[in-house]
Amino acid sequence: QVQLVESGGGLVQAGGSLRLSCAASGRTFSSYDMGWFRQAPGKDREFVAAITWNGGSTYYTDSVKGRFTISRDNAKNTVYLQMNSLVPEDTAVYYCAARRSGLINYNYWGRGTQVTVSS
């Protein structure tokens, strides 16, 4: 069982930066791949970024490549999403998710943190 708590959201002007954090409970954090997803008002939830259990591989949706960076600190049971050059289209609730390494579906989710980018 993994419990996830996101933090770091807020209101920022276009061009600004935010760093989201996701703190995970449990002793087996290092065996989970981690992901960030987001959901804008009236839209489906979409994949943003993911990182493998050991941080060896990262993946991004095209719209955030070069602007967002996912990282993790297994000693702190935390995954991060550094978001730079934010644009209003990045406005959404951002969710952290976890899946056992090797599985397809994310089966643990946080409650989300709101990110609002003003123009």
Side-chain angles (χ1 to χ4, degrees):
Q1 190 79 6
V2 177
Q3 293 184 327
L4 305 172
V5 179
E6 303 95 337
S7 62
L11 174 64
V12 63
Q13 288 188 330
S17 299
L18 284 174
R19 188 176 83 154
L20 305 184
S21 299
C22 174
S25 66
R27 297 176 292 176
T28 58
F29 176 74
S30 61
S31 64
Y32 287 84
D33 297 335
M34 300 297 296
W36 286 98
F37 293 74
R38 65 186 180 187
Q39 187 167 20
K43 295 187 176 181
D44 293 334
R45 185 170 59 194
E46 66 170 349
F47 167 79
V48 176
I51 188 167
T52 52
W53 64 276
N54 61 353
S57 296
T58 57
Y59 307 89
Y60 299 92
T61 192
D62 285 346
S63 63
V64 309
K65 285 180 181 177
R67 300 189 299 122
F68 291 11
T69 302
I70 188 171
S71 61
R72 66 189 296 161
D73 185 340
N74 285 347
K76 296 183 178 180
N77 280 15
T78 302
V79 62
Y80 305 97
L81 186 67
Q82 178 67 43
M83 306 186 295
N84 299 329
S85 302
L86 285 161
V87 297
E89 291 73 24
D90 294 319
T91 295
V93 177
Y94 283 72
Y95 297 91
C96 175
R99 67 182 182 192
R100 280 281 191 183
S101 182
L103 298 183
I104 296 175
N105 294 323
Y106 289 88
N107 48 1
Y108 298 104
W109 294 84
R111 302 181 78 170
T113 185
Q114 175 71 48
V115 171
T116 304
V117 184
S118 64
S119 56

